[in-house]
Amino acid sequence: MKVSFFASELRPREQEELHLFLQKLVRYGLWATAIGTGLQFTSGFSLAPLLFNGALFLFLLAISLLLQRGHYTLSAFGFLFVFWLYALLAMIFFGGLTNPIIGTQVVLILAAGTLLRRRGLLFFTLWSAVFTALVLLLDVLGHLPQPLTTITPWRALIIHTSNLIGAGLIIYYWLQLNQRHIQTLQEKEASLEDILNALPDALMLINTQGIIEHTYTSRPELLPGASRDCLGQPYHEVLPAAIVSQTKSFLQACIQTGEPQQVETEIETPTGARWFEIRLREVQKDGRPYVLWIARDITASRQTQTALRKSQELLSTAVNGARLGIWDWHIPRGQMHLNAVAAEILGHTATTLPATESFWREIIPREDFERALAQIDQHLAGASHFFAIEHRVRTPEGETRWVLSRAHVSERDAAGRPVRITGIFLDITQLKETQAELQALSARLEERVKERTAQLKDSLHEMEAFTYTISHDLRAPLRGIHGHARILLDDHAKALPPEARELLQRIAANARQMGAMIDQLLTYTRLGNVPLRRERFDTRSLVAEVVQALAPPAHCRIVIDDLPPTYGDPRLLRQVWQNLIDNAIKYSRTEERPLIRISGQMQGQETVFRIADNGIGFSMAYAEKIFGVFERLNPAPQYPGTGIGLATCKRIVQRHGGHIWAESSPGKGSIFAFSLPQEHMV
């Protein structure tokens, strides 16, 4: 018989405990054998018992060595077998069943049950019974050998005492081992109950009659009504009717079939509606079937799933609405998974396509493929985080489409080689067609611009010719008219009647006015051709020079505030200041105390200047009209002028990138303002 037959019932921890116990038994056996051998000499020398005790002592030493090497099962079997053999031989050679050592058989059976458990107990009990019966049979038949020595009362007392001590020691340690075993089981049960109570689930053990036998939960809301007090009660009288009605059929199915059941249900609780997942599973306890009821609150999970589903629906709506094709290319497998939009862009209906180099070369024109391959190689080498390529694809129907492909490596293997590339397709065919149309339109517009530029140059040439005509052909007659009128007035005034002299004076004045208008008109027309020479200059100094040159009347007060510097053409802007200040003086001179205030300030990205007077003013209905050529609001004799000054100001300001405006009211003065961009904005 194999020794492993006994070891199969022992657990590692039990072996460790019994190993210590066996060590004590061996130690006790050694001492008992030594003492027994010593007592042999006190009661008279006998060679046979001495040989028996010596052999037993040597066997116990061998078993002790086996124990030190960790051979527990072999040591235990050897220990029991040696004592059993010792007892058997003692009965055969020292008096048969009358030898008190027969009691050692009982001690050995107890030790076998303790050390080797049930199988060892049965084995040594059967073995002892068989060989004891054999000794009895030999004794009855008279075949036992003559006793080698006499069993004296003293020796019998020693044997009985040893048996009693051995049996007591074994029973004592057996009780200790069982007490520790019970304590360990209690600790494990308490620990298991703590673990079950700490779980987020609620557990309930129900027998086949629907009676609750155990509950474990740290969250009473998962088992409303179930508590320690409900043990032994039917589950349908403890749990809410809503839970019972929705799970009754599943519980019955689990009891009848033994198959696990699962149901998700929504239940109203004091804190509101909650979703529960209830799982039912058959378990065995003490050989009887039970149903393990497991309840879990999945409200948060359901809410997360609902939010995720809504997010996926929103994403799907956005992707489909944007006509965005999504694809995932598994390089080692040579497969590409596409959504419906991506498959449609490529002209396919399947959402899984072969994606080998030959496949791409077949659907992408060669020049586009080589260009795309170069960008992909750079990306795979780590030169870019993603690649974006515009290329053409040929559909199975022969249609050519423009596609924007944008992707990146989404997975690499342990060696850093790309495994998956994930990206998008965007059909830009219509965009490319629109770009082509825009390019054609741009070319046509460019041609028209060239034509219009040529026409404008012709118009400028005509304007220059017209200007030349005015300069030369009109000036000469005007000078003649004015000169002859002055000769008549200077040399023949006495011979002329008063009416004639007045007419000649009007002719001379009109000729001068006409000359001034021609000069200002020429200046106005030339403004478009004069190049701007921008520079930064002191505005207040320029304005002071203009005021001094205009020589206003003594009773006219002009106040010049601190003015911010100007960035522009000082020669042209001098003309603006001169025209605006001259107008302010002209239209306020009839006031008793004419007052003109010149101010300026930075406003955002512009510099704004204002010239305010307390003159006659005008209606804002004419605010835009006054900046036109030859537009006048007041009669010439009282307020002389050509009607071109404000138009000239507007053109100069606009050429600088600014704008000009007026604010006024009849009889309450006027404010003329203009703005110029600051230096960093030019």
Side-chain angles (χ1 to χ4, degrees):
M1 181 168 293
K2 296 182 179 179
V3 177
S4 59
F5 171 81
F6 303 103
S8 60
E9 292 188 13
L10 298 177
R11 298 175 183 175
R13 186 172 179 182
E14 292 174 339
Q15 282 197 9
E16 183 179 351
E17 292 176 346
L18 294 176
H19 184 275
L20 298 175
F21 175 56
L22 182 59
Q23 282 182 333
K24 294 180 180 180
L25 284 180
V26 171
R27 195 178 300 117
Y28 165 74
L30 288 171
W31 278 106
T33 304
I35 293 172
T37 303
L39 291 174
Q40 291 288 337
F41 291 98
T42 61
S43 61
F45 178 78
S46 179
L47 181 61
L50 184 62
L51 292 176
F52 271 96
N53 288 338
L56 179 61
F57 188 83
L58 292 176
F59 273 115
L60 290 176
L61 283 177
I63 291 171
S64 178
L65 292 175
L66 286 175
L67 278 176
Q68 291 179 3
R69 293 178 179 271
H71 301 291
Y72 165 75
T73 306
L74 182 62
S75 302
F77 183 80
F79 174 82
L80 296 172
F81 180 77
V82 166
F83 270 97
W84 176 85
L85 183 61
Y86 178 83
L88 180 64
L89 293 175
M91 286 191 295
I92 293 173
F93 293 102
F94 296 96
L97 297 181
T98 60
N99 193 332
I101 203 168
I102 192 173
T104 306
Q105 298 280 359
V106 179
V107 177
L108 291 175
I109 290 172
L110 289 175
T114 302
L115 295 175
L116 298 176
R117 296 305 171 93
R118 184 173 56 185
R119 293 181 181 180
L121 176 66
L122 293 175
F123 179 81
F124 275 95
T125 300
L126 181 62
W127 205 355
S128 296
V130 170
F131 281 93
T132 301
L134 180 61
V135 171
L136 176 62
L137 180 62
L138 292 174
D139 192 11
V140 171
L141 296 176
H143 293 301
L144 282 178
Q146 290 298 319
L148 298 178
T149 186
T150 304
I151 304 299
T152 63
W154 179 249
R155 288 179 178 175
L157 178 62
I158 292 174
I159 293 172
H160 286 307
T161 303
S162 299
N163 287 336
L164 289 174
I165 292 174
L169 185 63
I170 291 171
I171 293 172
Y172 170 75
Y173 276 104
W174 182 80
L175 291 175
Q176 271 198 332
L177 289 174
N178 278 275
Q179 181 65 29
R180 285 200 294 269
H181 185 62
I182 292 172
Q183 184 178 356
T184 301
L185 290 178
Q186 290 175 344
E187 291 174 355
K188 287 183 177 180
E189 184 177 359
S191 177
L192 180 60
E193 188 166 347
D194 291 340
I195 292 173
L196 291 175
N197 287 329
L199 291 175
D201 301 337
L203 287 80
M204 185 166 57
L205 195 64
I206 304 174
N207 63 21
T208 54
Q209 285 74 41
I211 305 300
I212 300 174
E213 295 208 1
H214 292 285
T215 60
Y216 304 97
T217 179
S218 61
R219 299 181 60 188
E221 70 273 10
L222 295 180
L223 287 177
S227 63
R228 295 289 185 185
D229 299 333
C230 72
L231 301 183
Q233 299 182 30
Y235 83 98
H236 59 269
E237 295 180 2
V238 174
L239 298 178
I243 298 180
V244 174
S245 63
Q246 297 185 46
T247 59
K248 184 177 181 180
S249 60
F250 294 95
L251 179 62
Q252 292 175 349
C254 184
I255 293 174
Q256 293 172 1
T257 65
E259 296 294 328
Q261 304 290 324
Q262 181 172 328
V263 59
E264 293 184 2
T265 180
E266 187 178 20
I267 300 173
E268 287 292 334
T269 67
T271 59
R274 310 288 295 180
W275 276 93
F276 292 89
E277 178 190 70
I278 298 176
R279 288 173 290 164
L280 307 172
R281 182 181 296 274
E282 185 185 51
V283 296
Q284 295 290 327
K285 180 184 178 186
D286 299 330
R288 293 187 298 168
Y290 289 83
V291 174
L292 181 61
W293 173 301
I294 305 173
R296 174 175 292 182
D297 188 342
I298 59 171
T299 305
S301 176
R302 293 277 298 206
Q303 291 173 347
T304 301
Q305 291 176 359
T306 301
L308 180 60
R309 185 176 64 255
K310 290 182 179 179
S311 177
Q312 290 175 341
E313 291 174 355
L314 181 62
L315 177 60
S316 177
T317 301
V319 168
N320 293 330
R323 303 294 298 160
L324 199 63
I326 300 176
W327 52 269
D328 184 75
W329 178 13
H330 197 286
I331 300 175
R333 297 176 186 169
Q335 285 185 341
M336 174 180 282
H337 300 283
L338 311 92
N339 68 348
V341 177
E344 181 183 344
I345 290 175
L346 297 182
H348 291 266
T349 56
T351 56
T352 301
L353 296 174
T356 59
E357 183 174 341
S358 59
F359 170 79
W360 292 119
R361 286 187 180 275
E362 182 180 349
I363 68 172
I364 300 177
R366 179 177 179 181
E367 57 273 18
D368 290 1
F369 180 83
E370 298 299 335
R371 179 168 46 85
L373 188 61
Q375 290 197 31
I376 294 175
D377 288 342
Q378 290 181 359
H379 173 65
L380 296 181
S384 60
H385 296 295
F386 62 88
F387 62 87
I389 310 165
E390 292 182 359
H391 60 87
R392 291 163 292 174
V393 295
R394 287 187 294 265
T395 66
E397 291 77 17
E399 180 185 357
T400 299
R401 295 176 179 172
W402 275 97
V403 176
L404 170 63
S405 297
R406 184 183 179 95
H408 69 101
V409 175
S410 56
E411 182 181 348
R412 295 180 181 269
D413 60 15
R417 293 184 295 268
V419 175
R420 290 173 54 229
I421 299 179
T422 305
I424 63 166
F425 285 149
L426 188 62
D427 189 343
I428 58 172
T429 305
Q430 187 175 0
L431 176 62
K432 285 293 185 179
E433 292 174 352
T434 304
Q435 286 180 348
E437 293 176 0
L438 288 175
Q439 288 175 355
L441 179 60
S442 177
R444 290 196 299 270
L445 288 175
E446 188 174 351
E447 187 63 29
R448 292 185 63 182
V449 168
K450 290 180 180 178
E451 294 175 359
R452 292 294 178 88
T453 302
Q455 293 175 1
L456 182 59
K457 288 181 178 179
D458 293 340
S459 298
L460 289 175
H461 291 156
E462 293 176 0
M463 181 66 71
E464 290 176 357
F466 174 70
T467 303
Y468 180 81
T469 300
I470 293 176
S471 306
H472 295 82
D473 297 349
L474 292 183
R475 281 178 179 273
L478 283 175
R479 282 197 298 270
I481 293 171
H482 182 266
H484 291 130
R486 292 307 309 172
I487 291 172
L488 288 173
L489 286 172
D490 293 341
D491 297 341
H492 305 285
K494 294 180 180 180
L496 296 174
E499 294 83 357
R501 287 197 300 272
E502 184 178 353
L503 289 173
L504 286 174
Q505 289 175 351
R506 289 182 180 180
I507 291 172
N510 288 334
R512 287 195 305 273
Q513 178 70 13
M514 189 65 175
M517 290 179 65
I518 291 173
D519 290 339
Q520 292 200 13
L521 183 60
L522 288 173
T523 301
Y524 179 79
T525 56
R526 289 170 180 167
L527 285 175
N529 297 327
V530 176
L532 289 180
R533 294 182 175 84
R534 297 180 187 269
E535 61 180 77
R536 186 180 180 87
F537 60 88
D538 185 3
T539 310
R540 199 175 192 285
S541 299
L542 179 71
V543 171
E545 293 176 3
V546 170
V547 171
Q548 184 178 4
L550 289 174
H555 71 292
C556 181
R557 183 185 174 196
I558 299 179
V559 179
I560 304 175
D561 294 341
D562 290 334
L563 302 177
T566 302
Y567 182 72
D569 191 327
R571 178 173 53 86
L572 294 178
L573 292 176
R574 178 187 290 271
Q575 184 69 41
V576 174
W577 284 109
Q578 181 174 325
N579 291 349
L580 294 178
I581 296 173
D582 186 41
N583 281 352
I585 295 172
K586 182 194 307 181
Y587 292 106
S588 62
R589 64 186 179 184
T590 57
E591 297 296 321
E592 182 178 355
R593 294 181 179 178
L595 176 62
I596 299 171
R597 179 176 292 276
I598 301 171
S599 61
Q601 61 181 351
M602 302 285 192
Q603 291 185 358
Q605 306 296 333
E606 296 180 324
T607 304
V608 179
F609 298 101
R610 290 180 174 82
I611 300 95
D613 63 63
N614 60 347
I616 61 174
F618 59 88
S619 172
M620 287 299 291
Y622 304 104
E624 293 296 329
K625 181 181 179 181
I626 59 176
F627 291 101
V629 180
F630 302 132
E631 294 291 348
R632 294 179 54 83
L633 301 182
N634 298 291
Q638 187 175 0
Y639 300 100
T642 60
I644 302 178
L646 290 180
T648 301
C649 293
K650 181 178 180 180
R651 192 163 189 179
I652 293 174
V653 171
Q654 287 179 341
R655 284 205 63 193
H656 280 78
H659 57 283
I660 188 169
W661 67 95
E663 301 171 7
S664 183
S665 179
K668 296 184 179 180
S670 303
I671 298 176
F672 282 83
F674 65 94
S675 66
L676 299 173
Q678 296 180 19
E679 182 175 356
H680 66 277
M681 296 299 296
V682 176

